[in-house]
Amino acid sequence: CAGSGKTWLLVSRMLRLLLAGAAPSELLAITFTRKAAQEMTDRLHEWLRVLALADDSTVRKFLLDREVAESEIDALLQRARGLLETVLTAQPGPTVTTFHGWFLDLLKRAPLEAGLPWGAPLLERTRQLQDEVRDRLLAKWAAEGSPRSGGVPAGVLLAGAGSPEGEALLALLAEIGEHNLRALLKHFIDARAEWWAYTDEAPDPVAHALEQLRPGLPPDLDSDPVAAFWADEVMAARVKRVGYALEKGSKTERERAADILLSPTLDAESAHASLMTRLMTAGARRKKQATKELEKALGTELDSYLRDLDTLETALETITAIQTDIRIWNLNRHGLLLGHALLAGYQEAKAQQGVIDFNDAEWLACRLLRSEEHAPGLALKLDARYRHLLLDEFQDTNPLQWQALSTWLHEARAADSEMTVFMVGDPKQAIYRFRRGEARVFTAAAAFLRAHFDAPLFSTDMTRRLAPAVVKAINPVFAGVDGFAAHSHAPENAARPGALRCLPVQVDKADAEAAEGLPHTGAPIHCAASGHVWSRMRNPLTTPLQEADDRAVHVEARQFAQVLRGEVLGRWGVADETGALRPVRPGDVMALVRKRTHLHLYERALEAEGIPFITSRRGGLLHALEARDVIALLETLLLPHADLKLAHTLKSPIFGCGDDDLLRVFAPGASGDTRGWERLIALAGQPDCAPALARGARLLARWRAHCGTLPVHDLLDRIYFEGDVEARYAAAAPAAMRPQVAANLRAFMQLALTQDAGRYPTLAGFIRELASLIDDADAAPGEGLAADGENAVRLLTIHGAKGLEAPVVWLLGGSDHPKGDSYAVLAPWPPEAPRPAHFSLFGRQEDRG
């Protein structure tokens, strides 16, 4: 379970293997993220330093904690102290990597005859390339599906003969709309590994998938059930009888009767729509089939009327079901065709650039390990290198990753290899389903290891992380959940203080007003639409209108910040390093949300209460004010005659110029017809020049002189130092925002090196890269995170907080229900199966748009 010491145990096993004589190069440890891999490496090196440098009593206790028999410690002391040197000088040393890192290494070991892209670099901006290929193909298919005719403007789609992709595009646009079509194609390309596995070796993948789908649908999908209904004279007669019967009922029933009796004179689709409206309610049967007035009027004919009505309702339900099946078929017939063509275009674009992505690495490595021709040789290479496999966080792996691993392990066991396997994980902690992680893989892997390696399974539900009070509160909540065993706390935590509190979020009238952020006006306002009298009104220039669904989130954010300020900070106690209690500080609090959608609301609430915070909004760095200031400064250095950028730069905290200063530089006629840059330089030489303008002119001219000579990172480093940037922003920002602002400034500096490996030959190239990042939401950098020692509340997603701990953890967003896309891919993949059991597209017609 969480806090039971899984990673501790895995690294301890690495040490025990080394103590037992295993060569460092024989260890392969695979985890889920690069961060986790680095943490494992750091912990291993830290413990090796303890063994090398600590006194004998410390080393003895260290080894006893890792279950080394006391009688063996004296004999192992000398070897334990030498392990640090052994590991650091080993060539190669222990391999601690991610699944994707291991897959890329496998591709490098493949024989040339396999024809794999050896050494191909990873594509870093996958979504950008996917969007480029999609937009190009959509334009191409639109032209093929609707050839232009004389006098028809470009961009206007016309029906006509064209390519299959063009006709499929027009059909889908008419059925589900452009937005849902783009969502569908995105989900298809995200599920490309499942598509490849499902259609592997099929000569025509689309035909193969449709052939598998076809048996679950009606035999005749080309028929028109509505036309068949009206062609049936018996059904048409029933429609008339029901209409005549309703004429004898209430006023409402007589109105329905008029439309029903008129329907046979309309075209089939209009007639069907009329019946669905007048005989059904929202596609379902009406609860009340006849009023008392109608029952009395019909008398003995009531039973006959109800039988006719029931028959018609059943027929209409059947038509609806058939129409749904036809829509399902057409959605898959057209969607799979376009998705497969888009995927082919994306693969071709990567091949032209000589790159691969993570899905390619997984798929190619798995196929390589399953190849009858190349797998034995590759298995021999792996067996010759690795003797001990260690797997961390295994609950987050996907079926394809397990296929690759299990194939290698099966070959190793068949060859009587002496490989050992050690796996840790917890299916209850599987949180990466959106990345194709499948918790059931853990169970399948455990069964495989028991069957082929005679591996024992150990489980523990004792957590060393949580206080007894928290454990006591958690167990009843999950008592009925399958696979959950009651947790227990570690004995050393028996006296550890702890508490759990639940705050209900109730949205009443006052809360609704407060959630909308309505500033007080003093005068009551009457709402004619509702009859309510409101005493406050929103200022549309300063406060955005909030959706009704968001009100609970607004209330929760406000309540979170107020309770934190009024009841928790400085009042609750947490244990320090010595075990003594001290008051809670902002840095002791970690607030977790399920998604980033409403993160800004919690930030705004904390800011209003003056509580310092740091956050990590994905893609939010380049939208932060301080990052936009630095971008404006760089653009000014590149294009000094861009007056708007120069004004932005001078007004920013970097220079802190006031309105009067800007008027001297930019006021019409202030200095003839010269641009702002020349005016600024000229003003700097005048004795009455404002200090802020003089400083701005001096520094900007100096930094501009280095634009063509310094790399972007070095130029930023000079700007930060000479401009005293961090100190100036610390002085200008509210206290609650200072940790986040400082973290964003450091993150922007780091961006010049980390994004695309810092491959920017010029400042112009860096600025172009920033512009493309702003447009690419998936690749845009997240806001910076302050150092661990920063005394500020940490606002993180549950995924981003994996592996982190805090004395006070606050779960937010319980009322924020996630909404998925209406059109997506269904591809269930049993962990023990070589491919998905099914692959199809699905959607909800009511969400079209």
Side-chain angles (χ1 to χ4, degrees):
C1 68
S4 60
K6 294 184 292 297
T7 304
W8 181 95
L9 190 61
L10 187 142
V11 180
S12 294
R13 177 165 175 84
M14 295 176 72
L15 277 176
R16 289 293 305 270
L17 289 169
L18 293 169
L19 278 172
S25 62
E26 294 176 345
L27 272 61
L28 170 61
I30 302 177
T31 187
F32 192 67
T33 65
R34 283 177 288 186
K35 177 184 175 184
Q38 187 60 51
E39 289 175 351
M40 287 172 59
T41 302
D42 292 343
R43 184 178 294 194
L44 176 62
H45 289 168
E46 177 188 346
W47 287 356
L48 291 174
R49 283 193 294 271
V50 171
L51 292 177
L53 304 175
D55 57 72
D56 283 357
S57 61
T58 301
V59 173
R60 287 177 182 276
K61 183 178 185 307
F62 182 94
L63 296 177
L64 283 172
D65 289 342
R66 284 149 186 83
E67 298 297 327
V68 176
E70 189 169 4
S71 59
E72 300 175 6
I73 290 180
D74 288 336
L76 290 174
L77 267 180
Q78 183 176 357
R79 179 171 182 80
R81 292 196 176 279
L83 282 181
L84 177 63
E85 180 182 1
T86 301
V87 170
L88 293 181
T89 59
Q91 294 295 332
T95 301
V96 183
T97 185
T98 64
F99 270 100
H100 292 128
W102 182 61
F103 288 143
L104 291 172
D105 185 61
L106 283 180
L107 297 182
K108 293 178 181 178
R109 297 172 183 270
L112 293 178
E113 309 86 69
L116 299 179
W118 187 93
L122 278 173
L123 174 65
E124 296 186 0
R125 305 282 295 280
T126 56
R127 189 62 68 194
Q128 182 184 44
L129 183 59
Q130 290 170 6
D131 289 346
E132 290 174 357
V133 173
R134 179 204 62 202
D135 292 343
R136 174 172 53 82
L137 288 178
L138 286 178
K140 175 177 177 288
W141 296 335
E144 293 172 348
S146 55
R148 292 183 59 191
S149 60
V152 179
V156 176
L157 299 181
L158 298 175
S163 69
E165 291 82 4
E167 295 177 358
L169 173 64
L170 294 184
L172 286 178
L173 285 174
E175 178 67 17
I176 66 176
E178 181 180 0
H179 173 78
N180 286 328
L181 173 60
R182 289 176 180 270
L184 190 66
L185 293 177
K186 173 185 176 295
H187 285 296
F188 183 96
I189 208 164
D190 287 344
R192 54 193 178 278
E194 285 81 356
W195 175 251
W196 288 331
Y198 187 71
T199 61
D200 192 21
E201 299 181 357
D204 186 340
V206 175
H208 172 76
L210 292 175
E211 183 181 349
Q212 304 304 311
L213 180 64
R214 191 64 181 80
L217 297 172
D220 188 6
L221 290 170
D222 296 326
S223 63
D224 184 348
V226 173
F229 175 90
W230 288 105
D232 187 339
E233 295 181 357
V234 176
M235 283 295 182
R238 282 197 178 96
V239 170
K240 292 182 179 179
R241 289 202 299 270
V242 167
Y244 290 138
L246 287 172
E247 282 186 323
K248 303 175 182 178
S250 65
K251 179 181 177 182
T252 302
E253 287 170 324
R254 291 196 300 272
E255 291 174 352
R256 291 168 54 203
D259 290 337
I260 292 172
L261 292 174
L262 182 64
S263 60
T265 65
L266 305 175
D267 62 271
E269 290 298 329
S270 299
H272 178 69
S274 178
L275 287 189
M276 291 297 295
T277 302
R278 290 312 195 177
L279 292 182
M280 313 285 278
T281 301
R285 300 190 182 212
R286 292 173 177 265
K287 292 182 179 180
K288 192 172 183 180
Q289 304 292 3
T291 63
K292 291 183 178 180
E293 185 176 351
L294 180 61
E295 292 177 356
K296 182 178 180 181
L298 291 179
T300 58
E301 298 177 0
L302 178 62
D303 291 340
S304 176
Y305 159 76
L306 291 177
R307 284 194 298 272
D308 284 337
L309 180 60
D310 179 71
T311 302
L312 289 180
E313 289 174 334
T314 301
L316 292 177
E317 288 174 339
T318 301
I319 290 175
T320 299
I322 295 174
Q323 288 178 328
T324 299
D325 289 333
I326 292 174
R327 284 198 298 270
I328 290 172
W329 176 250
N330 288 332
L331 178 68
N332 282 272
R333 184 163 60 96
H334 301 313
L336 293 178
L337 177 65
L338 295 187
H340 181 66
L342 173 61
L343 180 54
Y346 174 57
Q347 295 299 105
E348 182 182 356
K350 286 186 294 182
Q352 291 175 351
Q353 296 184 16
V355 296
I356 61 175
D357 61 21
F358 284 137
N359 287 69
D360 295 327
E362 285 183 353
W363 175 247
L364 293 174
C366 188
R367 292 198 68 183
L368 181 65
L369 286 168
R370 289 161 52 185
S371 166
E372 294 183 1
E373 180 181 359
H374 305 298
L378 182 60
L380 285 176
K381 290 182 181 181
L382 293 173
D383 294 344
R385 168 72 188 277
Y386 302 118
R387 287 287 186 270
H388 308 284
L389 175 63
L390 303 102
L391 304 166
D392 190 25
E393 301 289 1
F394 201 77
Q395 74 277 355
D396 288 321
T397 55
N398 63 54
L400 189 59
Q401 292 168 342
W402 171 236
Q403 289 290 324
L405 265 182
S406 60
T407 302
W408 171 32
L409 295 177
H410 194 276
E411 289 289 338
R413 177 53 68 191
D416 294 326
S417 169
E418 297 180 355
M419 173 175 288
T420 68
V421 185
F422 186 80
M423 178 179 77
V424 297
D426 179 11
K428 298 190 299 298
Q429 295 182 58
I431 59 174
Y432 283 96
R433 187 64 182 264
F434 69 99
R435 291 182 182 173
R436 301 169 40 238
E438 173 55 74
R440 292 177 300 171
V441 168
F442 188 91
T443 305
F448 175 91
L449 293 177
R450 281 197 299 268
H452 297 281
F453 284 79
D454 195 23
L457 173 66
F458 302 97
S459 61
T460 176
D461 295 296
M462 184 183 72
T463 171
R464 293 175 171 83
R465 184 176 301 161
L466 303 179
V470 179
V471 174
K472 185 179 179 180
I474 286 176
N475 284 335
V477 174
F478 296 96
V481 177
D482 185 37
F484 179 83
H487 288 12
S488 62
H489 60 79
E492 60 268 23
N493 289 341
R496 188 177 182 180
L500 186 140
R501 183 178 178 187
C502 180
L503 296 179
V505 179
Q506 297 179 349
V507 184
D508 55 19
K509 177 181 175 181
D511 284 331
E513 296 175 23
E516 291 178 357
L518 306 179
H520 198 281
T521 62
I525 299 173
H526 182 264
C527 177
S530 63
H532 292 149
V533 176
W534 300 90
S535 61
R536 293 187 289 175
M537 181 173 66
R538 179 179 62 89
N539 183 348
L541 298 179
T542 61
T543 308
L545 178 65
Q546 303 300 334
E547 297 292 337
D549 292 344
D550 294 340
R551 287 179 177 174
V553 182
H554 282 258
V555 174
E556 181 189 37
R558 180 166 53 86
Q559 189 177 26
F560 159 60
Q562 290 176 348
V563 172
L564 199 59
R565 168 59 69 197
E567 303 180 30
V568 178
L569 296 179
R571 291 171 173 79
W572 285 15
V574 297
D576 60 15
E577 293 77 6
T578 65
L581 289 181
R582 59 166 176 79
V584 170
R585 300 191 295 255
D588 296 323
V589 180
M590 183 163 60
L592 305 182
V593 296
R594 286 193 295 186
K595 56 182 181 179
R596 295 179 173 87
T597 305
H598 297 116
L599 210 55
H600 66 286
L601 299 179
Y602 302 110
E603 296 170 8
R604 191 186 306 165
L606 290 173
E607 182 183 348
E609 292 294 329
I611 302 174
F613 64 89
I614 55 177
T615 187
S616 177
R617 272 191 282 173
R618 181 181 177 185
L621 175 62
L622 299 182
H623 295 282
L625 288 175
E626 51 275 11
R628 289 159 60 185
D629 291 345
V630 178
I631 294 173
L633 189 153
L634 295 178
E635 291 174 331
T636 298
L637 298 180
L638 185 66
L639 300 169
H641 295 296
D643 285 352
L644 189 59
K645 300 298 182 184
L646 176 59
H648 181 163
T649 301
L650 293 174
K651 186 71 173 176
S652 72
I654 301 173
F655 298 111
C657 294
D659 292 343
D660 292 338
D661 298 330
L662 295 184
L663 285 174
R664 293 194 64 185
V665 178
F666 298 103
S671 300
D673 294 330
T674 58
R675 306 298 294 267
W677 180 269
E678 286 81 4
R679 296 178 190 174
L680 177 65
I681 300 301
L683 285 171
Q686 298 177 8
D688 62 339
C689 180
L693 287 178
R695 177 177 176 271
R698 183 178 71 256
L699 290 177
L700 287 172
R702 184 189 305 171
W703 295 337
R704 187 163 189 266
H706 292 291
C707 282
T709 59
L710 289 179
V712 175
H713 178 271
D714 294 358
L715 176 62
L716 281 172
D717 186 59
R718 179 180 289 268
I719 290 171
Y720 276 37
F721 176 73
E722 295 179 351
D724 204 14
V725 171
E726 292 196 32
R728 285 181 164 270
Y729 272 95
M737 297 182 64
R738 286 171 191 162
Q740 186 62 59
V741 170
N744 285 341
L745 289 171
R746 291 192 292 269
F748 190 90
M749 169 78 78
Q750 188 180 16
L751 185 64
L753 288 178
T754 57
Q755 187 65 37
D756 202 23
R759 293 190 285 266
Y760 310 111
T762 63
L763 180 61
F766 180 62
I767 291 175
R768 283 195 300 270
E769 177 69 9
L770 294 181
S772 66
L773 283 173
I774 292 175
D775 295 334
D776 187 352
D778 288 318
E783 289 198 75
L785 273 178
D788 291 339
E790 195 76 62
N791 187 24
V793 174
R794 288 176 288 174
L795 267 174
L796 304 170
T797 62
I798 293 175
H799 298 97
K802 188 173 179 62
L804 302 180
E805 297 182 18
V808 179
V809 178
W810 197 305
L811 300 179
L812 296 166
S815 59
D816 187 14
H817 302 293
K819 298 177 182 178
D821 285 326
S822 299
Y823 288 82
V825 171
L826 180 65
W829 192 334
E832 66 282 356
R835 61 184 57 84
H838 175 85
F839 193 103
S840 68
L841 310 177
F842 71 91
R844 294 192 294 271
Q845 180 67 18
E846 63 270 22
D847 290 326
R848 61 176 297 179

